[in-house]
Amino acid sequence: MKVSTRCARPQYVCSNEKIKLIGGIDGYFPDFGHHLENEMGGLWLYPVKILDGFWMRFIDHTAGTVDCYMKADEFENFPHKNVFRYGGGLGHTTVTAKRVQMAPEGIKGILVRYIFRNHGQKPCDCTTELLARVHMAPVWLSEELGIHRGEKVELCFWEEEKCFLAKDCDNPWYTLIGCDCGWDESRTGDFFGPEITSGSGVSCAVTHHFALGPGEEKEMTFYFAGSEISREDALKQYRLLREDRDYEGEKEEKYRDILAKTVLDIEDGRFREIFDWVKVNTDWLILDQEIYGRGIAAGLPEYPWWFGCDSFYTLQGVLGIGNAALCRDTLRLVREYSEKVNGNGRIIHEILPNGYCPNPGNTQETAHFVTMVWKYFQWTGDRAFLEECLPYIKKSMAWLLEQDEDGDMYPSGYGIIEIAGLNMEMIDTIVYTCEAYECYGRMLELVGEGQEARSYLERYREMKEKINRELWDEEAGLFCDAYASYATIEEKHDVIEGMLRESRSQEIKQHILKLLEERKDDADQEKGWLLNRNWVINTPMEIGIADGEKAMKALRKMEGPDYIGEYGMYLNALAQDAQMTINTGVMAVAQAMYGKTDEALRLIEKMFASFGMATPGSISEMSPDYGCFVQAWTAYSAFLPVVRFFFGIEPLASEGKIRVTPCMPDKWKKAALKNVLVLDGAVSVSVETKGQEVEVTVENNTSYPAELRPGAKYVCAGESPDSCAPGGKTTVRYRLS
């Protein structure tokens, strides 16, 4: 499994859970980045950057004029390693080169192997010089914790270990650099190679002289290791890196295991390939920063830290590909830091890998957390973790109730759309709070708090009815963005004016102007407002609380060109200027929730059309090719529609069963999803459609019964079993409805 490309200047990552090397696929390390300007690339041992990059110079003395810093002609991305190939870029020489790099599991370091080969008929007299630029910098906003980079980096040769040792003069940050075959000469100082990188630092360079006969090869392996805590730890990591172990075999085995779960078998080979690559991308983003915890980071290169909102979407997909431990670890990390930072039940928005919290939390994230803990329990049956979280969840629910300042059941505050000024009663916060009421009520039922459970379940039912009544715009055929009075909207005048200036749709603009005119004489009456038609108006359908007729009307409306672009759903229909994987995924889930799986598949295919456009092997955060080149919540968009809705797999630990309700897109005439880890085992589902007949086969390798139901497109065909026993295999036959 690999993807390759001729080089432009996209980025890549070489990753394990401890360390991330981020550079350009031409083999260079250009300055780039927003949060730390020009500093987001290089070798990161979060929360510290320990290396700006490294560059290889090649000289063929036999060829006479060949003296260059090597730039790759081709890049290959594998799940477990990166490969760069150098040929024409080396000039008029018969030597070609290959660079293979990998981050062995569990080690704070990377291995970089260069292989030079002489393809000519005559010997070549060669020299190489590897230059490494050590530059140490803490993550974004470290100064808020009193952490600053030192004024200089001290670098020396460590004779005992035969390697270079670098240290930030004011912090316990270390980098070690060595080679498996020593070197002929070396130098240190403040010098650069082909790129002059930002920031203070120091360089070391090591030179090798060697001859290559016809057909001969020369290999050399470099070791880059470090520590953010001590010299002793850095040395430990360096020695681990140099052990005689089959690190590549270990990584290959890890990815074989990842890819052996939730195995999609369909005729569309490209879809299947991208589906698997998103599993790999998800693993690349795991960050285990020992002091602060382990969880999935939001995206690279700009968001290598943990979020509330991003995680709660991502983890729904993570469960579907069999990584319940990552789900649990991320939820625990978010909860523990919410307790530390807030303590009152509020869930944080983001935690940097040094423990700093820039934003204590948007309102919807607290509701999202409650729901995600329940989803995790339903999928795994892990009651111990649910009960571990329950004391803080009780505080979370109390905090959410406090955000309903006017007593209308709708909490206020920023939701997912962090547009300055739009901190009203927003649709996503309202909908996810409604969902949280139901999930919390079910939790309380589970632990025997029946009276309190009933009150929250009643609150859920009442709020669901209110959303369908008060937040529905019949004229537009859509749910509203917000619930507010005209007076509140008027306070946001500058924000609304800005939205209207961006409008590319006169129809939508005129609808907003009409609302503003009609409601100005009733300034204090709260009503639903359909403003910039942001993607979160899908949330009532996403979680399934929209009345069926309203849902179908809204979904059909949003299938048009005002809402859908080349790569998925627009962030908002007013501006129509950006598409992302998350909003496209939410709409795909909303479509699938109401049986519209053909439309859901169309959206996923649009999202998948941007695969490899930012970098080989991944889908960019912003479609088609900007933002983070690998983004966590793509897992939600790729996996949840397929696992939960197309194949209909829904574990229900609270009811002691697994529900299977397939609803296949028409294009997938023959499809299977194998080895989906649920509860204490795995299930596999295959669906084959022949004309009007649909055959569904379920293999249930768990100790729970599987309840079989026809999806929205199907009806039962005569006498057919409605369950699959634990350890059993059952085939049912449906007809297309």
Side-chain angles (χ1 to χ4, degrees):
M1 181 176 171
K2 68 177 181 179
V3 285
S4 61
T5 185
R6 296 289 172 181
C7 285
R9 207 61 184 266
Q11 299 149 0
Y12 70 87
V13 63
C14 180
S15 172
N16 64 28
E17 295 187 14
K18 306 289 186 182
I19 201 163
K20 316 284 181 191
L21 176 69
I22 303 171
I25 66 173
D26 58 4
Y28 279 20
F29 292 89
D31 284 341
F32 59 81
H34 161 64
H35 284 96
L36 283 179
E37 188 175 0
N38 293 325
E39 294 281 15
M40 301 304 289
L43 185 59
W44 277 93
L45 180 58
Y46 298 106
V48 180
K49 179 179 183 176
I50 62 172
L51 199 72
D52 264 349
F54 52 87
W55 301 262
M56 179 65 84
R57 181 183 175 192
F58 174 77
I59 304 171
D60 182 347
H61 300 281
T62 311
T65 59
V66 175
D67 183 350
C68 64
Y69 278 97
M70 292 164 44
K71 182 175 283 190
D73 304 297
E74 188 174 349
F75 173 81
E76 291 181 300
N77 219 2
F78 295 79
H80 65 291
K81 66 181 179 182
N82 318 117
V83 177
F84 304 81
R85 298 186 185 278
Y86 307 84
L90 299 183
H92 298 290
T93 176
T94 59
V95 177
T96 61
K98 181 169 71 171
R99 167 176 142 199
V100 182
Q101 59 189 32
M102 181 181 58
E105 290 303 303
I107 300 176
K108 301 175 186 178
I110 62 166
L111 298 171
V112 181
R113 178 175 294 112
Y114 287 88
I115 303 147
F116 296 88
R117 181 177 177 82
N118 181 6
H119 295 271
Q121 302 301 313
K122 297 179 181 180
C124 296
D125 182 18
C126 305
T127 297
T128 61
E129 182 185 67
L130 183 110
L131 185 158
R133 180 73 176 176
V134 180
H135 171 50
M136 300 188 182
V139 293
W140 181 56
L141 296 183
S142 291
E143 63 275 10
E144 300 295 328
L145 296 175
I147 301 170
H148 304 270
R149 69 182 71 177
E151 293 185 4
K152 65 177 182 177
V153 175
E154 300 163 344
L155 185 147
C156 64
F157 181 69
W158 192 354
E159 178 67 35
E160 183 181 350
E161 296 295 328
K162 304 300 183 200
C163 68
F164 287 96
L165 170 67
K167 180 190 180 298
D168 182 277
C169 66
D170 296 327
N171 298 283
W173 307 334
Y174 292 84
T175 308
L176 276 72
I177 303 168
C179 181
D180 67 339
C181 54
W183 46 79
D184 298 306
E185 294 117 34
S186 66
R187 59 191 176 115
T188 61
D190 190 11
F191 54 85
F192 294 92
E195 297 178 297
I196 299 175
T197 57
S198 299
S200 59
V202 64
S203 299
C204 64
V206 296
T207 302
H208 292 86
H209 304 295
F210 55 93
L212 283 177
E216 287 186 350
E217 288 186 348
K218 168 69 174 179
E219 289 192 15
M220 56 187 78
T221 301
F222 293 88
Y223 308 98
F224 300 92
S227 175
E228 78 286 22
I229 55 176
S230 70
R231 173 171 161 159
E232 293 72 24
D233 183 49
L235 178 57
K236 174 186 174 183
Q237 304 303 320
Y238 182 74
R239 287 176 172 172
L240 284 171
L241 205 57
R242 297 203 58 160
E243 284 185 359
D244 184 17
R245 284 171 53 186
D246 182 13
Y247 286 123
E248 182 166 359
E250 291 174 10
K251 288 211 77 151
E252 287 180 309
E253 179 62 29
K254 171 188 175 178
Y255 284 104
R256 277 194 294 269
D257 182 62
I258 288 172
L259 296 171
K261 301 183 183 79
T262 312
V263 179
L264 180 63
D265 185 2
I266 56 174
E267 292 180 355
D268 187 341
R270 177 169 170 78
F271 191 101
R272 188 173 62 241
E273 178 190 21
I274 298 169
F275 188 87
D276 280 347
W277 270 105
V278 179
K279 297 179 193 176
V280 171
N281 297 164
T282 303
D283 182 76
W284 288 348
L285 289 169
I286 300 173
L287 181 59
D288 184 0
Q289 214 298 319
E290 296 164 3
I291 299 173
Y292 303 105
R294 176 181 185 265
I296 187 159
L300 294 174
E302 287 294 346
Y303 293 97
W305 54 84
W306 308 292
F307 283 77
C309 174
D310 301 53
S311 296
F312 306 144
Y313 284 112
T314 302
L315 296 178
Q316 294 178 64
V318 165
L319 287 173
I321 57 171
N323 200 339
L326 175 60
C327 183
R328 180 200 61 225
D329 291 350
T330 305
L331 288 170
R332 178 175 283 137
L333 183 153
V334 169
R335 189 203 75 230
E336 288 179 348
Y337 269 87
S338 297
E339 289 179 316
K340 180 178 179 181
V341 171
N342 296 321
N344 60 352
R346 186 179 189 178
I347 295 296
I348 55 92
H349 177 62
E350 57 189 323
I351 289 290
L352 300 181
N354 59 9
Y356 181 67
C357 176
N359 179 344
N362 299 328
T363 307
Q364 114 284 343
E365 286 166 300
T366 297
H368 242 155
F369 174 77
V370 174
T371 299
M372 193 60 231
V373 171
W374 180 245
K375 290 179 187 291
Y376 167 80
F377 168 73
Q378 291 283 64
W379 196 275
T380 65
D382 185 353
R383 180 163 174 165
F385 182 73
L386 186 149
E387 293 183 354
E388 174 188 320
C389 294
L390 195 54
Y392 198 73
I393 286 175
K394 287 178 180 289
K395 291 184 179 181
S396 297
M397 298 309 297
W399 184 84
L400 275 174
L401 289 172
E402 290 171 3
Q403 307 319 301
D404 177 17
E405 297 171 351
D406 58 4
D408 63 0
M409 300 187 76
Y410 299 156
S412 300
Y414 283 107
I416 298 164
I417 310 305
E418 298 172 288
I419 297 173
L422 286 187
N423 53 337
M424 302 179 287
E425 294 175 346
M426 307 302 294
I427 182 70
D428 53 313
T429 299
I430 293 168
V431 167
Y432 290 137
T433 298
C434 178
E435 184 182 31
Y437 287 150
E438 182 186 27
C439 293
Y440 183 55
R442 300 303 178 197
M443 289 183 203
L444 294 176
E445 282 183 333
L446 187 73
V447 298
E449 298 182 26
Q451 184 174 347
E452 187 77 354
R454 286 188 290 275
S455 71
Y456 275 95
L457 293 174
E458 179 57 35
R459 183 180 290 271
Y460 158 72
R461 288 186 285 269
E462 183 180 346
M463 196 169 179
K464 175 181 173 181
E465 189 275 330
K466 277 172 61 70
I467 291 168
N468 279 280
R469 174 167 41 86
E470 297 176 344
L471 284 164
W472 176 252
D473 186 318
E474 180 60 34
E475 180 183 345
L478 295 166
F479 282 93
C480 298
D481 300 280
Y483 190 74
S485 65
Y486 177 87
T488 300
I489 295 295
E490 185 62 21
E491 291 172 3
K492 318 290 183 182
H493 177 81
D494 292 343
V495 178
I496 306 299
E497 281 293 312
M499 291 177 182
L500 293 174
R501 283 195 299 271
E502 294 176 356
S503 176
R504 295 189 182 184
S505 170
Q506 284 302 310
E507 177 189 348
I508 295 174
K509 182 176 180 178
Q510 290 306 312
H511 181 77
I512 296 171
L513 292 173
K514 180 182 176 183
L515 289 178
L516 290 169
E517 179 63 26
E518 289 177 347
R519 296 179 179 182
K520 65 182 181 181
D521 294 332
D522 194 7
D524 296 326
Q525 179 64 43
E526 287 193 311
K527 295 181 179 180
W529 291 83
L530 188 55
L531 299 170
N532 66 342
R533 305 192 186 204
N534 213 293
W535 60 273
V536 293
I537 62 176
N538 265 308
T539 55
M541 285 77 76
E542 178 208 1
I543 71 165
I545 65 167
D547 291 345
E549 186 177 338
K550 291 184 173 71
M552 298 302 277
K553 187 173 183 179
L555 291 170
R556 284 193 294 268
K557 180 71 174 279
M558 287 186 286
E559 290 165 13
D562 278 347
Y563 297 86
I564 305 296
E566 184 176 0
Y567 299 102
M569 186 184 188
Y570 292 120
L571 289 179
N572 70 74
L574 197 63
Q576 299 175 12
D577 61 350
Q579 299 149 76
M580 294 178 73
T581 61
I582 185 57
N583 60 302
T584 299
V586 166
M587 187 173 182
V589 168
Q591 295 277 16
M593 178 69 75
Y594 290 84
K596 293 167 68 66
T597 49
D598 295 314
E599 291 78 4
L601 178 59
R602 181 171 70 100
L603 286 165
I604 301 169
E605 289 174 336
K606 281 179 171 288
M607 181 181 78
F608 279 10
S610 67
F611 176 74
M613 294 179 73
T615 204
S618 64
I619 297 173
S620 183
E621 169 195 14
M622 303 288 292
S623 301
D625 59 359
Y626 61 108
C628 289
F629 65 84
V630 58
Q631 182 77 18
W633 57 27
T634 304
Y636 167 97
S637 305
F639 305 138
L640 191 62
V642 173
V643 178
R644 168 65 182 84
F645 295 103
F646 295 1
F647 288 92
I649 299 171
E650 184 183 10
L652 297 168
S654 64
E655 299 178 36
K657 66 184 179 184
I658 304 155
R659 184 177 294 150
V660 180
T661 314
C663 188
M664 202 58 58
D666 291 346
K667 284 175 66 173
W668 290 7
K669 300 299 184 186
K670 188 175 182 179
L673 196 64
K674 304 171 185 176
N675 196 31
V676 181
L677 302 190
V678 298
L679 298 170
D680 61 355
V683 298
S684 299
V685 178
S686 63
V687 182
E688 184 171 4
T689 304
K690 297 178 180 179
Q692 294 297 303
E693 302 299 316
V694 181
E695 183 176 277
V696 178
T697 299
V698 177
E699 292 185 54
N700 179 12
N701 294 311
T702 76
S703 64
Y704 293 77
E707 176 185 270
L708 311 183
R709 293 183 179 180
K713 291 183 175 183
Y714 311 140
V715 294
C716 290
E719 293 295 325
S720 217
D722 59 5
S723 65
C724 180
K729 181 176 180 179
T730 301
T731 297
V732 297
R733 288 174 176 82
Y734 303 131
R735 291 195 315 272
L736 291 176
S737 60

